[in-house]
Amino acid sequence: MLLSLFHHSFLGRWVVLLWPLLLIKCVPLDCQDEQSCPSISQEKLLDRVIQHAELIYRVSEDSCTLFEEMFVPFPLRLQSNQAGYACITKALPIPSSRSEIQQISDQYLLHSVLMLVRSWIEPLVYLQTTLERYDNAPDLLLNKTKWLSEKLLSLEQGVLVLITKMLNEGMVSTSYSDPSLVQYDMQLDMLESIMRDYTLFNCFKKDAHKMEAFLKLLKCRQTNNCA
């Protein structure tokens, strides 16, 4: 018991100390459309988008761990991906195997990132709302979830401008969000609600990692430096 309390206390202090550094390190994209960032080269814009994706993934990992340690009973921590807890983006036409990912075009890489980003905008807003209903949700977790939601919108704008610059396509306005993906039962009991939210944190962490991986693959293709 004492060891568990020490571990949680240590983790909490580590995350609190690191959190301001993540905020400082995150360079704004400052791109609402191609006209608003004409001075940013395609290469620099891609670097900034990758940096945003990296930080989003890192903070999603921290948030998932914090939520798990505070709310999820230990025996249930490995059950979030079992039947009934499928990720909301499972039905999207996103490549998953290494061979599939290596074969898809740059165009589909960018559009895959955009699909993932847009599919998570509403669920992250939902997570902000539901966490406020928890009696003892720490401000750190609430702030991280809000930060993720804001940075995801920023990442969306950066990807849209990349699509315009790299693929010579017009600004993409089509939404990939499926209304059925973001319909939540607000009448669940507390444990069911915790497991649903835990699944969302886990799935977002996995999809954030995909966004980062797809963008880095695009970068290595652009520089002809793929290992």
Side-chain angles (χ1 to χ4, degrees):
M1 178 67 177
L2 289 175
L3 182 61
S4 176
L5 289 173
F6 172 79
H7 175 71
H8 179 69
S9 175
F10 176 79
L11 175 67
R13 288 197 297 270
W14 180 84
V15 172
V16 169
L17 289 172
L18 185 60
W19 178 239
L21 297 178
L22 291 177
L23 294 180
I24 293 171
K25 184 180 177 183
C26 188
V27 179
L29 281 173
D30 295 329
C31 284
Q32 296 300 317
D33 52 48
E34 189 177 13
Q35 285 69 41
S36 67
C37 55
S39 62
I40 302 178
S41 67
Q42 176 180 302
E43 181 180 6
K44 183 176 288 188
L45 178 59
L46 179 55
D47 287 340
R48 289 190 182 183
V49 169
I50 290 173
Q51 183 190 58
H52 265 63
E54 288 175 337
L55 289 174
I56 286 171
Y57 173 55
R58 191 181 308 172
V59 175
S60 72
E61 277 193 305
D62 291 342
S63 300
C64 187
T65 299
L66 186 58
F67 183 88
E68 178 182 81
E69 296 201 350
M70 290 207 64
F71 300 111
V72 183
F74 186 78
L76 300 179
R77 292 181 184 181
L78 301 178
Q79 298 182 19
S80 63
N81 291 323
Q82 293 182 0
Y85 294 105
C87 290
I88 60 173
T89 54
K90 184 178 180 180
L92 293 178
I94 304 293
S96 55
S97 71
R98 184 180 182 87
S99 60
E100 288 179 326
I101 294 170
Q102 294 292 340
Q103 292 173 15
I104 63 176
S105 65
D106 292 354
Q107 179 184 33
Y108 203 78
L109 275 176
L110 277 174
H111 281 281
S112 293
V113 174
L114 187 60
M115 276 191 277
L116 289 170
V117 168
R118 287 181 162 176
S119 294
W120 277 105
I121 289 173
E122 289 187 49
L124 283 183
V125 171
Y126 157 80
L127 270 177
Q128 290 182 66
T129 302
T130 192
L131 286 174
E132 291 173 355
R133 295 166 45 230
Y134 285 63
D135 291 335
N136 55 342
D139 288 342
L140 181 62
L141 183 59
L142 295 171
N143 291 338
K144 281 176 177 287
T145 308
K146 180 179 179 182
W147 183 92
L148 285 170
S149 185
E150 292 173 350
K151 293 306 174 186
L152 197 66
L153 290 172
S154 180
L155 181 62
E156 178 193 24
Q157 293 302 322
V159 172
L160 284 170
V161 177
L162 272 177
I163 289 174
T164 302
K165 284 179 173 288
M166 297 180 67
L167 307 179
N168 295 318
E169 296 182 14
M171 294 298 287
V172 181
S173 60
T174 303
S175 173
Y176 294 103
S177 180
D178 181 346
S180 66
L181 298 181
V182 290
Q183 293 176 357
Y184 303 107
D185 182 0
M186 303 302 289
Q187 304 303 316
L188 298 177
D189 65 31
M190 193 60 190
L191 182 57
E192 289 176 324
S193 180
I194 287 172
M195 292 306 295
R196 176 192 56 194
D197 297 343
Y198 180 45
T199 299
L200 286 173
F201 273 115
N202 266 303
C203 291
F204 178 67
K205 178 180 70 174
K206 291 177 182 178
D207 284 344
H209 188 255
K210 286 182 183 178
M211 297 175 207
E212 177 189 354
F214 287 178
L215 289 166
K216 286 183 174 179
L217 175 58
L218 183 65
K219 171 72 173 180
C220 83
R221 286 181 178 179
Q222 294 293 307
T223 57
N224 294 315
N225 190 28
C226 294

